[in-house]
Amino acid sequence: MSQLVKLKARANQPIHFPGLCVHCAQPAVKWLGLRKRIGRITRTIDVPLCSNCQQQVTSLSAEEERLQKLGTVAAGLMFLLTLSVSLLLSPASMDFPLRLLVALMLSLAFTQLLLVIFKRSRQKAALPIKKEIVESARISLFSWRTITFEFANEMFSERFQALNKPLLMDT
């Protein structure tokens, strides 16, 4: 069961977090970055994690590691293939520096797209405990003056609300 907490907070305004892990409520020593993107604006906030949960988040399963290596090789091949095909198929009447610039732009775009696809595949291949830790806190919604968090841990949510009492809003 998730707990929604809505705060009246603008960008760059400090939000206080308890010294507890957002997942297991053990003493926190590390930080987990939360990101939420709406349109062209991205909000990034770090929430506390204990060392055990941080280790779980940073460790890769065998499938994740395989996909990471495969993605790197595929991205390199995609870049070279797109660059060479773009240079061969671009009109010879264009100056070479312009042809090279267009080929580089296309190569980077296709390579980035392929890396995004492999990143999503790696996220799906993550171990269940890693997914659970990453999903234990998230930014549900934000605007220029409010931010809504969703916490899975009820104890963490209560402590967070107590620390940020002046900023609380009704959800």
Side-chain angles (χ1 to χ4, degrees), residues 61-104:
S61 67
E63 183 66 12
E64 283 179 289
E65 198 170 323
R66 185 183 73 77
L67 286 169
Q68 184 178 27
K69 290 176 182 176
L70 186 61
T72 303
V73 170
L77 290 174
M78 173 66 83
F79 180 81
L80 292 175
L81 181 66
T82 307
L83 182 69
S84 59
V85 169
S86 299
L87 283 174
L88 287 173
L89 295 180
S90 61
S93 61
M94 290 173 58
D95 290 336
F96 183 74
L98 182 60
R99 289 173 53 200
L100 183 62
L101 180 66
V102 168
L104 283 173

Side-chain angles (χ1 to χ4, degrees), residues 43-157:
R43 180 77 44 100
T44 304
I45 296 176
D46 292 329
V47 295
L49 278 182
C50 67
S51 57
N52 187 30
C53 290
Q54 176 67 27
Q55 183 181 5
Q56 291 287 338
V57 168
T58 56
S59 66
L60 297 176
S61 67
E63 183 66 12
E64 283 179 289
E65 198 170 323
R66 185 183 73 77
L67 286 169
Q68 184 178 27
K69 290 176 182 176
L70 186 61
T72 303
V73 170
L77 290 174
M78 173 66 83
F79 180 81
L80 292 175
L81 181 66
T82 307
L83 182 69
S84 59
V85 169
S86 299
L87 283 174
L88 287 173
L89 295 180
S90 61
S93 61
M94 290 173 58
D95 290 336
F96 183 74
L98 182 60
R99 289 173 53 200
L100 183 62
L101 180 66
V102 168
L104 283 173
M105 299 276 282
L106 280 172
S107 299
L108 289 174
F110 281 120
T111 303
Q112 185 64 34
L113 179 66
L114 187 67
L115 286 174
V116 167
I117 291 169
F118 271 96
K119 182 179 179 181
R120 287 186 181 161
S121 297
R122 278 197 330 260
Q123 288 172 344
K124 289 178 183 175
L127 295 173
I129 185 69
K130 182 176 181 177
K131 289 179 185 178
E132 186 179 319
I133 293 169
V134 170
E135 294 169 358
S136 63
R138 68 184 194 97
I139 301 170
S140 296
L141 188 63
F142 71 88
S143 68
W144 64 274
R145 67 178 194 97
T146 64
I147 184 163
T148 305
F149 291 98
E150 189 174 341
F151 299 113
N153 188 325
E154 187 175 336
M155 186 169 122
F156 183 87
S157 177

